[in-house]
Amino acid sequence: MANHTVITNFLLMSFSDVWELQILHAVLFSLIYLAALMGNLLIILVTTIDQHLHMPMYFFLRHLSFIDLCYISVTVPKSILISLTHSNSISIHECATQTYCIVFFACTELILLTVMSYDRYAAICCPLHYETLMSRGACVQMAAASWVNGSLSGIMHTVSTFSVPFCKTNELGQFFCEIPHLLKLSCSQPNFAEIGTTVTTTILGLGCFIYIVISYVYIFSTVLRMPSTKGRSKAFFTCLPHLMVTTVFFTTAFVAHVKPTSDTPSVLDLLVSVFYVVVPPTLNPVIYSFRNKDMKAALAKLVRQELPCL
């Protein structure tokens, strides 16, 4: 420890050293961020003001859109600022806050997607008990549990990661504060506290994944037994948006965790990070807007109210 300088700030990685490419990156990220911002805000607005969408599925969708809005806002604006100002320094306190927020929102979304699969299971497999199982109080409790568990995960990961000093190079090799890259700069190798926290979170993730798979096994088996073709089609299409969003979430998470952390970060590393940080919050509003008839009808109604001349 005496031979090292303890790090108090980090240098985030920029996408390019060429000014023209930095401007291109800032423009592309700004457009993507605005699209995610408007898409998620629109869903929050529509599901709030349209009385026909005051149902458990859209209650959880409103929470999901808010999470996506916050999740992408943690990383993308900072990356745009780096490209425009050439200042890629971030303090250790700001980095810890960013780390907490990333884990907090990611884990909350994971648990919320699991809760939403239970909602679809209750609606299709237990329709007679749906109103009891998914009462207003039950929905609030499940949403609150998602937020609380996500917050606890964020606290545990942040505390275990930043509980030891950093004494190697302060170049992070990523455009945001990602835990694997932070651990490579830690004075304590290995960080057993973070390893234990990661194992716990991985078990939580696998448990949620298994629960979602089992839920959809029951859902599809129930749908296939329905005598009416119209009923089967309606039941399937009510589940399709959630199934697509869940697939995108787990695919991006799988790619992010399977990819090894390299000592010399490449453009591929940055692209993979963009894939799981930017893609889900941007795609989710598109999936729910275009694959859900109730959402499309509510959006069309809102447009007609705001633009009566059309």
Side-chain angles (χ1 to χ4, degrees), residues 45-280:
L45 177 65
V46 169
T47 55
T48 300
I49 65 176
D50 195 311
Q51 296 294 324
H52 296 94
L53 300 182
H54 287 185
M55 296 183 290
M57 181 171 71
Y58 299 106
F59 171 79
F60 294 124
L61 177 58
R62 187 159 57 247
H63 281 262
L64 181 67
S65 295
F66 182 72
I67 291 169
D68 285 335
L69 187 63
C70 296
Y71 184 57
I72 197 170
S73 298
V74 172
T75 56
V76 171
K78 179 68 175 179
S79 181
I80 295 171
L81 191 64
I82 289 173
S83 291
L84 294 177
T85 63
H86 304 287
S87 176
N88 59 341
S89 177
I90 183 171
S91 70
I92 194 168
H93 300 293
E94 186 181 356
C95 188
T97 302
Q98 191 181 66
T99 301
Y100 164 77
C101 290
I102 291 171
V103 178
F104 171 32
F105 293 125
C107 290
T108 302
E109 181 159 343
L110 167 66
I111 300 170
L112 191 64
L113 287 172
T114 308
V115 170
M116 292 173 77
S117 71
Y118 174 73
D119 169 67
R120 292 298 83 208
Y121 163 80
I124 294 173
C125 300
C126 310
L128 298 180
H129 303 285
Y130 181 71
E131 291 188 4
T132 303
L133 294 173
M134 303 303 297
S135 64
R136 178 69 179 177
C139 290
V140 170
Q141 289 176 6
M142 286 186 277
S146 301
W147 285 99
V148 170
N149 279 280
S151 180
L152 290 175
S153 297
I155 291 171
M156 289 191 298
H157 276 284
T158 305
V159 170
S160 59
T161 301
F162 289 87
S163 60
V164 294
F166 302 93
C167 54
K168 298 180 182 179
T169 177
N170 67 338
E171 294 182 0
L172 202 53
Q174 185 57 279
F175 74 95
F176 63 94
C177 293
E178 189 180 39
I179 290 177
H181 287 274
L182 287 166
L183 294 179
K184 293 178 71 67
L185 307 182
S186 173
C187 299
S188 175
Q189 294 288 346
N191 187 330
F192 291 106
E194 175 55 25
I195 290 173
T197 304
T198 301
V199 170
T200 303
T201 306
T202 302
I203 293 172
L204 171 66
L206 286 174
C208 290
F209 176 75
I210 292 170
Y211 185 89
I212 292 172
V213 170
I214 293 174
S215 296
Y216 273 101
V217 168
Y218 279 104
I219 288 171
F220 288 139
S221 64
T222 302
V223 170
L224 292 174
R225 290 198 303 268
M226 290 180 177
S228 169
T229 303
K230 185 178 179 180
R232 287 198 299 268
S233 177
K234 183 179 179 180
F236 176 75
F237 279 104
T238 59
C239 296
L240 186 59
H242 174 262
L243 191 58
M244 293 173 67
V245 166
T246 304
T247 302
V248 170
F249 180 86
F250 278 103
T251 301
T252 54
F254 177 78
V255 170
H257 286 85
V258 167
K259 177 187 69 68
T261 305
S262 58
D263 295 323
T264 55
S266 62
V267 176
L268 179 62
D269 294 324
L270 288 174
L271 291 176
V272 170
S273 300
V274 169
F275 183 61
Y276 77 87
V277 168
V278 175
V279 170

Side-chain angles (χ1 to χ4, degrees), residues 49-50 298-310:
I49 65 176
D50 195 311
L299 286 169
K301 180 181 176 182
L302 179 64
V303 171
R304 285 196 300 270
Q305 289 176 346
E306 295 298 322
L307 302 171
C309 61
L310 297 180

